[in-house]
Amino acid sequence: MPMICFASVVRVRDGLPLSASTDFYHAQEFLECRRQLKALAPRLAQYPGRGSAESRDFHIYFSSSGDVACMAICSHQCPAAMAFCFLETLWWDFTASYGTTCIGLASRPYAFLEFDSVIQKTKWHFNHMSPSQMKSGLEEIQEELEFQPPAVLSLEGTDVTNGMLNGHTPVYSEPAPNLRMEPVTALGVLSLVLNIMCAALNLIRGVHLAEHSLQVAQEEVGNILAFFIPSVACMVQCYLYLFYSPARTLKVVLMLAFICLGNVYLHGLRNTWQILFHIGVAFLSSYQILTRQLQERQSDYGV
């Protein structure tokens, strides 16, 4: 039996299976391990980025980051570093192939079944690595595991060790992979500059209006908020463009809505061209955020 027997990619928020390898093992313990893996998948949001659970002959490993988690069933002879290296490689391949929007909109199990061929290829490569390849390729991740051990889960209950509380208290931690975005483009820099300018204009107008409203009427409070809220939304857009954030699409839509509604509310204090300028910059920034994806990592293991 190979060291890595089964692998799947799931959505973290609800455990929906997105893709999985084909397995041909019918041993009772393996089938029971498959059942336990499926039961564990919906609870991954409660655990840190890396974790494992053990049975007699098989171990379950998982590695999650952002919206996606990769899970595997390995034989008990499989080194933990090899399992987590395999899962991290899968994670990079999957997130490079499918965007956050696609993953978030998936509504049926195994919506990305075509990724099965990538899982099989990666699984075959790791199962057939020579001892020398294994030793040289896994040193870095072995050091990571020693520095930050993965959570150890009990398949029979909810006990978790290695820095996590036992019982039912969910613990959240930063995922293991280091997320890197694609390089900033010239149009992206332009959107950042325009966004900062819009944020500054909104902030200055809001502060000016607040200073001259000694007895603030109700409608003036609304105008002040209509300046301040889009100003904050513009700065959040800058952050979302520069750094990866989970649920990025939802946040982009919310920030765009705040900016548009705020500027429509200010009709009268701003002319039509000014409103269109602020809304146009917001749409440009939103487009730049959604089109700037995670950078595909170059694999060190020849997969």
Side-chain angles (χ1 to χ4, degrees):
M1 181 176 290
M3 288 191 178
I4 300 173
C5 305
F6 173 80
S8 67
V9 181
V10 302
R11 189 165 60 192
V12 171
R13 75 167 187 260
D14 54 7
L16 179 73
L18 303 174
S19 186
S21 64
T22 304
D23 60 89
F24 305 96
Y25 312 111
H26 303 288
Q28 186 60 38
E29 187 174 356
F30 175 79
L31 296 177
E32 176 64 16
C33 211
R34 279 283 306 275
R35 185 191 65 78
Q36 291 167 332
L37 181 145
K38 290 179 181 179
L40 175 62
R43 296 188 290 146
L44 289 179
Q46 301 176 16
Y47 304 128
R50 286 177 179 154
S52 65
E54 300 179 4
S55 63
R56 188 182 66 185
D57 292 329
F58 297 97
H59 293 178
I60 294 175
Y61 294 94
F62 65 85
S63 179
S64 63
S65 177
D67 300 325
V68 175
C70 295
M71 308 181 74
I73 297 176
C74 304
S75 67
H76 68 277
Q77 297 102 334
C78 180
M82 176 180 174
F84 285 117
C85 185
F86 165 73
L87 293 177
E88 186 175 335
T89 302
L90 271 192
W91 186 92
W92 280 103
D93 288 341
F94 188 85
T95 53
S97 301
Y98 306 102
T100 304
T101 304
C102 262
I103 296 167
L105 293 177
S107 58
R108 59 183 177 83
Y110 306 107
F112 307 101
L113 193 59
E114 65 277 4
F115 191 73
D116 168 68
S117 60
V118 178
I119 299 177
Q120 298 286 41
K121 176 184 175 182
T122 308
K123 185 158 67 81
W124 185 92
H125 174 80
F126 274 83
N127 282 331
H128 291 81
M129 278 199 302
S130 66
S132 59
Q133 286 178 311
M134 188 179 300
K135 182 178 179 180
S136 61
L138 304 182
E139 288 177 352
E140 181 179 348
I141 201 161
Q142 182 63 52
E143 291 177 1
E144 291 181 15
L145 295 178
E146 291 175 359
F147 178 74
Q148 186 177 4
V152 178
L153 283 62
S154 169
L155 292 175
E156 287 73 26
T158 57
D159 297 333
V160 184
T161 60
N162 282 352
M164 295 187 63
L165 299 176
N166 293 327
H168 301 283
T169 306
V171 179
Y172 299 88
S173 176
E174 285 298 316
N178 182 22
L179 304 181
R180 296 181 181 178
M181 305 294 290
E182 292 176 346
V184 174
T185 63
L187 193 57
V189 172
L190 176 63
S191 72
L192 285 173
V193 172
L194 293 176
N195 232 337
I196 293 171
M197 183 175 71
C198 288
L201 290 173
N202 285 323
L203 183 61
I204 293 170
R205 289 291 301 275
V207 171
H208 180 77
L209 186 61
E211 287 178 344
H212 290 78
S213 300
L214 299 178
Q215 294 181 344
V216 183
Q218 185 175 0
E219 61 272 14
E220 289 174 329
V221 173
N223 289 335
I224 293 171
L225 291 176
F227 280 117
F228 284 152
I229 292 176
S231 178
V232 174
C234 287
M235 298 312 297
V236 173
Q237 280 194 326
C238 292
Y239 176 85
L240 291 174
Y241 178 73
L242 292 172
F243 305 102
Y244 177 80
S245 176
R248 185 172 52 162
T249 302
L250 176 61
K251 293 174 183 176
V252 169
V253 172
L254 286 176
M255 295 307 106
L256 181 60
F258 287 145
I259 294 171
C260 291
L261 291 174
N263 279 278
V264 171
Y265 186 88
L266 291 171
H267 184 66
L269 293 179
R270 278 182 171 153
N271 61 42
T272 303
W273 290 109
Q274 290 174 324
I275 293 173
L276 289 177
F277 172 76
H278 281 266
I279 292 177
V281 171
F283 271 97
L284 173 63
S285 298
S286 299
Y287 174 77
Q288 290 299 308
I289 294 168
L290 294 177
T291 54
R292 189 180 183 217
Q293 300 296 329
L294 288 170
Q295 189 174 28
E296 182 176 1
R297 192 193 67 167
Q298 296 299 318
S299 174
D300 296 329
Y301 310 109
V303 178

